[in-house]
Amino acid sequence: MVRVIRGVGSFLKELVEELVGEAVLTLLACVAVLGLALAFIWGWERNSLVTMAVGGPSLAFLGYGAWEFFRPSRPGKRGRLAGAAAATFAVAAGLVAYAWSCDCP
């Protein structure tokens, strides 16, 4: 009987942790996408040239990260820049996927 109660308690604890984790990730994704959109709009109103000068290399870095992330692996060690770009792309893609699924107003 005690095992059953502990098993149910463990299951409920894990369920609550997953629900809270999912809610936190969704909130983080929505806030990140909203923050980036507001930063882009604010920057565009101030100086469109600077906004494009920052946005262009940022998109190029994310593109390089996507290329490093999806290309077939080759023997040898991946460089630090390539690893950082791939990790940045993975985090950005995850946040975009969560933001896409949420009902942000």
Side-chain angles (χ1 to χ4, degrees), residues 5 9 14 37 48 51 53 81 85 87:
I5 292 173
E14 185 177 335
S48 60
T51 303
L81 180 64

Side-chain angles (χ1 to χ4, degrees), residues 6-29:
R6 285 186 183 164
V8 170
S10 174
F11 171 76
L12 289 175
K13 179 183 173 191
E14 185 177 335
L15 178 67
V16 169
E17 287 174 352
E18 286 184 19
L19 289 174
V20 169
E22 186 78 22
V24 168
L25 283 175
T26 302
L27 180 67
L28 176 67

